[in-house]
Amino acid sequence: MAREDERRQVEQAQALLNRALEARWRQWKGYVSELQAELAITQAEDAPEADLTETDAPVRRRARLDAATRKELQAVVEARRQQWQAQEEQAAREAGQPARDSEAVYAQLLAHIQNELDGTAHPAGKVLLWDAGALVTYDAALAQAGTSEADYLTVRGGAAPLGRQALLVGGAAVAAVALMIGTVVVFFGPSRPPARADADTLRVNGVVMTPWAVDTAAVGGVVDAAPELRGLLPLVWCANGRARDAAEPGATVVLTGTAAVRRFQVQPGASDLALADCGATPPRVAAKAQLVAAVTAQDLDAAVLRSLAVWGPDTDPQAIPATQMQVVLTVALPDAGGGTLILADGRRWAATRSRAVDGGTELTYLVPLSPTAQLAGWELAGGAGLPQLLALTVPAPTSRMQLLRDVLLVQIGEPQPVVREGVPTAALTLTLTLDAHAAPLTLLASDLAATAGGTPLPVTWEPPALRPGQTTQVALTVPLPAQGGLELALAAWRVRVVARDA
């Protein structure tokens, strides 16, 4: 009885969370539509021909949002706008070309956010939205055609609500009522194109959509290894007689391809899939089915990720450009060098190098520098099957100072007073040991600091290249101040040197 009560409590909490997340999705849909309408009005008013022609003005829209919610969403959009503009200007500088107009960048950002909300920006067709300070995804497991644009828009110039927008295209939910919580993960890459496409096309919001590839179709234990499919909405499976006979109400239909596995249920009045006798003229529909679930990727177990390290440009200035950071992933998968890292800005990055390690693969990526942690994903092509996806968080890069503290052991020998060119000088020998599990590391002249009363002192030494698990001795000299002593610092090591007669 106690377990049943616990189960009910969990289900109730899940339902409450689902409703809250769906409400946030609707808020975002309305707000982005409002911003796009405002931008369209501004562009129409600023057009050179605006005073010379008479055309219908874009419709002004206003989302139903309270003041606190509007302020929160506005702050997120503004932060992302600044990020996109900075990236645009940096790319223009690197290419030696002028940057695009800020309004064009803003329009592209709004279109990208709209794609996130529609599920077309995610390689697995999942809905993306900002909630509680993070970009999260949800599985739209059951796309219902009952959602209309009027559900998340408040005013359309006083006109009647728009027609239904909930379309199922290639199995990706453009709009969904029942949103099922998925793993918190960010995948921004473009939707994976089908392996093959029919001649039939469907235009949604000006974009031509094509059907997904299907290699096998099955219903009630009857398998068609070379199915013929036609159309888009609804999709028509030209099923043989055995398959049509097996399509009884409640039966499960499974369409399997290299980009998706989709499961339908035979239901009277369904509209997503039709099983038809295409030998008849016109084709005779024997049964209809509703989409129940779509799997476009295999989720990798979190245990696959052995380690994740991020190094900033100060860690290795020769190998890492000033505007980039190095992400090193180790996964418990052999021959995984083709894995793609997908960051929060939607760009996909191939590994700059990879190497086999014991029972797995180490991959190194050079990506744009980010001062904060970000949700991301790692994707591995599935060959003949579905791609494999791993959710992960890419932390902010580790500073060089922290790196040295973590992996370097420093010991000092007895300082010896010497005179160099008439200047009293301290000669020292450092014994440096690099952690056996660290990567090879070359010290920089700036890693060793010498000061006297806060004033920097010159140090004469040759920074060595260190190997994991090995010990290296380094000789150095530093001038002694006229009064007091001096302080030396390297990694977590600190020492004060004072002349005996001081």
Side-chain angles (χ1 to χ4, degrees), residues 140-286:
L142 183 60
Q144 298 182 356
T147 300
S148 69
E149 196 172 53
D151 289 329
Y152 47 78
L153 287 179
T154 57
V155 179
R156 185 176 180 262
L162 296 180
R164 288 186 173 187
Q165 301 295 315
L167 297 178
L168 192 65
V169 181
V174 176
V177 173
L179 296 180
M180 302 186 68
I181 301 175
T183 306
V184 179
V185 52
V186 181
F187 293 105
F188 291 88
S191 299
R192 186 178 305 278
R196 59 177 185 271
D198 297 339
D200 300 305
T201 58
L202 176 71
R203 189 175 295 274
V204 177
N205 293 332
V207 178
V208 175
M209 313 301 294
T210 55
W212 63 87
V214 176
D215 295 327
T216 63
V219 56
V222 178
V223 179
D224 185 349
E228 177 187 353
L229 290 103
R230 301 179 181 178
L232 279 170
L233 294 174
L235 181 65
V236 177
W237 172 19
C238 293
N240 57 37
R242 292 181 58 225
R244 296 196 302 272
D245 292 341
E248 299 178 349
T252 297
V253 182
V254 179
L255 303 183
T256 303
T258 56
V261 176
R262 289 173 167 83
R263 184 164 57 89
F264 302 77
Q265 186 179 57
V266 177
Q267 299 175 5
S271 59
D272 293 331
L273 174 68
L275 286 76
D277 177 6
C278 296
T281 304
R284 182 179 60 83
V285 176

Side-chain angles (χ1 to χ4, degrees), residues 410-416 426-428 430 448-455 457 476 478-490 492-500 502:
V410 183
Q411 296 173 302
I412 185 174
E414 181 70 21
Q416 299 296 323
L428 306 96
L430 300 182
L448 178 61
T451 59
T455 301
L457 298 174
L476 63 90
V478 57
L480 286 168
Q483 294 182 345
L486 62 90
E487 292 185 352
L488 292 172
L490 174 59
W493 171 78
R494 299 286 189 278
V495 68
R496 180 174 178 81
V497 178
V498 180
R500 288 190 179 93

Side-chain angles (χ1 to χ4, degrees), residues 309-315 320 324-328 369 397-399 403:
V310 183
W311 311 115
D314 63 335
T315 305
I320 306 175
Q324 292 185 304
M325 62 185 186
Q326 186 181 80
V327 179
V328 182
L369 179 64
T398 300
S399 67
L403 170 64

